[in-house]
Amino acid sequence: MMTKSQLQSEIAELKLDYINLQGDMEKLESNGHPTQVENAERRLAKMEEKLAELNKQLAELS
């Protein structure tokens, strides 16, 4: 199990990756790349699941 600091760090990094992917996805949508948009949407969903899991672990430590 990770420490509170490790969890917070991983959450922050994942949030930045999430934001970057959202921006990339917007560019892909505007340039007409539906397959790549679908792949990005799946990655976002996995990131959301991971964030929920990490936040749950963080809450259990608090």
Side-chain angles (χ1 to χ4, degrees):
M1 183 142 207
M2 289 190 266
T3 66
K4 186 175 183 177
S5 176
Q6 290 171 317
L7 284 168
Q8 290 170 329
S9 178
E10 190 164 340
I11 289 169
E13 185 177 325
L14 193 53
K15 285 181 178 181
L16 284 175
D17 290 345
Y18 188 94
I19 291 167
N20 289 332
L21 184 54
Q22 281 182 318
D24 292 346
M25 200 167 96
E26 289 174 13
K27 291 175 192 171
L28 290 170
E29 285 176 327
S30 67
N31 291 317
H33 297 281
T35 303
Q36 290 175 330
V37 170
E38 288 176 20
N39 291 339
E41 287 173 342
R42 282 194 285 277
R43 287 179 56 203
L44 285 176
K46 288 180 182 179
M47 288 175 152
E48 289 169 359
E49 291 172 8
K50 181 70 174 176
L51 274 171
E53 179 185 318
L54 292 171
N55 280 317
K56 181 181 175 188
Q57 289 178 19
L58 185 60
E60 289 172 356
L61 289 178
S62 297

